[in-house]
Amino acid sequence: MSTIYQVEHLHQQRGWLSPGYIEIGDDGIIRAVSGTKPQGKIAERLRGFGVPGLSNLHSHAFQRALAGRTEFVTTSRAEDNLWTWRKEMYRMVDRLTPEDYEAIAAQVYLEMLQFGMTAVCEFHYVHHRPDGQTYANPAEMSDRLIAAAAQTGLGLTILPVLYAHGGINKPLEETQKRFAHSVDAYLKLIDTLHSRRAANPNLRVGMALHSLRAVTPDEAQAALAGAKAIDPEARLHIHVSETTHEVAEVVAGLGARPVQWLLDNAGLGPNWCLVHATHLDASEIAGLAASGAVAGLCPLTEATMGDGFFPLVEYHEAGGAFGIGTDSHYSTSTAEELRILECGKRLELRRRNVIARPHKAHDKREVHTGRLLFEAALAGGEQASAQGSGALVVGKRGDLVMLDPDSNPLLGHGPNTALDGWILGGTQNPVRDVMVAGKWVIRDGRHPLESAVRVAYQQAMARLTN
Ligand SMILES: [Zn+2]
């Protein structure tokens, strides 16, 4: 069995089908896409712009509970940066229960769906009890994230994080004891999470090294080899070069800048996602772009932390792949994340449309910035998450996002400029309906469990902030 939809404007990698017919099987996979109505079949009509669901490539779900709670200074924190923020974050980690972890994740996962994201890569490092002991179920906290994703209907690529040191040649700090694993225990967790896939068809399992500060080269090598033995296709994520402080520490400890060290020692390729990669020199830009790895940009989080600005234009011109993550969830909006990337560069470079480049002289077609940014993020998100979505073509998962042509940002727009209208042209969220694997999870902007998820989140917040 399958369902056919007639979409007023259906996004394709080369333009739009207006209308487009898309057939999605009961297994959630796209069976057919066409500009003509299949003979003798009834199609449900959908008004507006149908685009693929986006994979958010970087999230620490629990940090949603901290967004907007650290926006002040005191005499003891007059100079505020990522490292002073981290102290506040650790204070929250110390109090998080498994119930809180699940409730916060469900809230932020639902928010992602409402903004047209249909999957998330969860960079998950709070593994153990507050005293550092393993839970009776060693995968307790991972299972809470899986439950939150299943409850809300969001695809999940879970990335258990190996976190073994508090800095290069430094033991873990007392506040980091919930994160620690031996490489063996870590690989056992990955193995356990693979066993959860049978009951969760939209679950993928990858691996993550917290950073070059948090694992030794030997640990990294052992973990990567073990993870590849479990799954040769596993996606590999790492935080890298987020701050100049981190770059200096890695240069002093390992003898090379962080991205250069990974290029020289880690075998970077398309299965890698380097999260942030903010501070790159010219040879790192060229090397990272040529490696085929994805740069995992988290624009609003990087802005709120005062990290610095990724060299987007140079990296894009070198052919580098990138996607977007919402990291600490100051935003869960696709448009807001992409807009700050483009508009931040416009402020810096004092010109417009900085990432788009015209076609060759004889090709007069317009190159649209909103479309270019969205499609880059779609491709990078899919590459980093391995969800099997990211395009409305046969064989991909049926993740369809309908943008409302009656929403303020899209009034008066046709297919030519609709993605510019969404990404760059307004503040209201135009996402009306969201389908994941052939099932509607958001209709008219609402999720059926929205109230229950909010109540559980409010209760978790009350516990964490009293
Ligand atoms: Zn992160």
Side-chain angles (χ1 to χ4, degrees):
M1 291 289 287
S2 63
T3 308
I4 299 174
Y5 298 93
Q6 178 191 315
V7 181
E8 188 178 7
H9 304 288
L10 187 72
H11 179 278
Q12 296 287 282
Q13 281 149 326
R14 289 178 162 272
W16 298 83
L17 290 174
S18 302
Y21 296 87
I22 182 165
E23 179 176 358
I24 300 174
D26 286 351
D27 58 358
I29 304 299
I30 299 171
R31 290 197 186 161
V33 176
S34 163
T36 50
K37 187 168 179 235
Q39 288 285 324
K41 299 200 174 169
I42 297 168
E44 183 182 328
R45 285 181 179 214
L46 299 172
R47 237 184 116 243
F49 304 94
V51 299
L54 178 84
S55 284
N56 177 344
L57 57 61
H58 192 66
S59 160
H60 309 285
F62 76 92
Q63 292 179 11
R64 170 68 180 83
L66 207 56
R69 300 193 66 84
T70 58
E71 305 307 310
F72 56 88
V73 293
T74 62
T75 45
S76 63
R77 211 185 63 200
E79 284 294 320
D80 196 13
N81 57 32
L82 173 68
W83 307 97
T84 44
W85 172 85
R86 196 178 73 159
K87 281 189 190 155
E88 301 298 322
M89 189 264 283
Y90 283 176
R91 230 195 298 276
M92 176 164 281
V93 163
D94 204 39
R95 306 183 68 182
L96 274 176
T97 65
E99 293 75 21
D100 297 332
Y101 209 56
E102 181 174 340
I104 299 167
Q107 173 69 24
V108 74
Y109 289 174
L110 200 151
E111 290 172 0
M112 290 176 197
L113 285 164
Q114 286 175 319
F115 282 100
M117 296 172 182
T118 52
V120 67
C121 298
E122 181 68 34
F123 200 100
H124 157 56
Y125 57 82
V126 185
H127 300 295
H128 308 306
R129 290 162 30 134
D131 62 4
Q133 297 298 307
T134 309
Y135 284 103
N137 164 17
E140 174 73 36
M141 296 297 257
S142 303
D143 283 339
R144 295 295 183 152
L145 295 168
I146 293 169
Q151 183 189 14
T152 54
L154 187 74
L156 173 66
T157 298
I158 193 163
L159 305 163
V161 175
L162 181 64
Y163 201 141
H165 299 275
I168 294 178
N169 300 320
K170 287 186 195 149
L172 279 177
E173 296 167 18
E174 184 65 14
T175 48
Q176 296 170 325
K177 56 187 181 284
R178 300 190 76 173
F179 314 157
H181 273 118
S182 67
V183 172
D184 283 351
Y186 173 73
L187 292 174
K188 208 171 279 179
L189 174 63
I190 290 195
D191 216 20
T192 303
L193 295 180
H194 273 279
S195 74
R196 306 293 195 255
R197 291 196 57 198
N200 295 278
N202 300 332
L203 175 67
R204 309 283 179 268
V205 183
M207 75 159 291
L209 305 171
H210 180 271
S211 59
L212 291 176
R213 301 175 61 257
V215 292
T216 65
D218 286 350
E219 286 161 348
Q221 205 164 40
L224 289 170
K228 276 190 184 165
I230 296 168
D231 176 9
E233 303 293 313
R235 297 304 193 261
L236 314 168
H237 290 227
I238 185 169
H239 285 138
V240 70
S241 296
E242 182 176 4
T243 65
T244 49
H245 170 281
E246 178 197 340
V247 173
E249 186 179 342
V250 173
V251 169
L254 299 178
R257 295 172 59 85
V259 170
Q260 193 60 54
W261 191 92
L262 288 169
L263 286 164
D264 294 341
N265 296 282
L268 293 187
N271 56 337
W272 278 87
C273 177
L274 272 58
V275 179
H276 305 304
T278 308
H279 298 284
L280 301 175
D281 68 17
S283 98
E284 288 176 310
I285 292 171
L288 182 57
S291 76
V294 182
L297 311 181
C298 306
L300 206 62
T301 295
E302 288 151 9
T304 60
M305 297 301 157
D307 289 340
F309 215 157
F310 180 78
L312 179 70
V313 176
E314 297 88 332
Y315 179 74
H316 179 66
E317 282 175 1
F322 68 89
I324 53 163
T326 60
D327 196 354
S328 60
H329 312 302
Y330 271 76
S331 156
T332 45
S333 156
T334 306
E336 201 170 352
E337 294 289 350
L338 289 172
R339 189 179 306 172
I340 193 171
L341 261 188
E342 168 74 19
C343 292
K345 285 290 162 190
R346 291 188 188 190
L347 285 167
E348 189 183 306
L349 301 172
R350 288 179 275 166
R351 58 186 173 87
R352 306 189 72 248
N353 290 304
V354 293
I355 191 169
R357 284 282 171 275
H359 293 296
K360 300 226 164 59
H362 62 277
D363 186 342
K364 302 292 183 210
R365 282 177 303 152
E366 297 165 354
V367 180
H368 287 256
T369 296
R371 182 170 183 118
L372 191 157
L373 286 167
F374 178 62
E375 291 181 350
L378 273 181
E382 169 55 20
Q383 191 179 324
S385 67
Q387 285 281 320
S389 55
L392 298 171
V393 298
V394 174
K396 291 284 190 184
R397 193 168 72 200
D399 288 10
L400 175 65
V401 173
M402 291 305 305
L403 305 177
D404 185 356
D406 298 326
S407 62
N408 289 347
L410 297 185
L411 285 176
H413 283 273
N416 196 36
T417 57
L419 292 175
D420 297 337
W422 178 25
I423 302 302
L424 295 160
T427 48
Q428 195 187 53
N429 178 21
V431 173
R432 186 188 63 212
D433 308 308
V434 179
M435 172 193 284
V436 181
K439 294 193 181 73
W440 291 113
V441 289
I442 302 282
R443 298 270 6 210
D444 284 328
R446 308 308 296 260
H447 188 287
L449 299 178
E450 201 172 313
S451 303
V453 166
R454 258 168 72 93
V455 167
Y457 176 66
Q458 275 178 315
Q459 288 169 347
M461 289 296 281
R463 276 198 297 276
L464 288 167
T465 57
N466 70 11

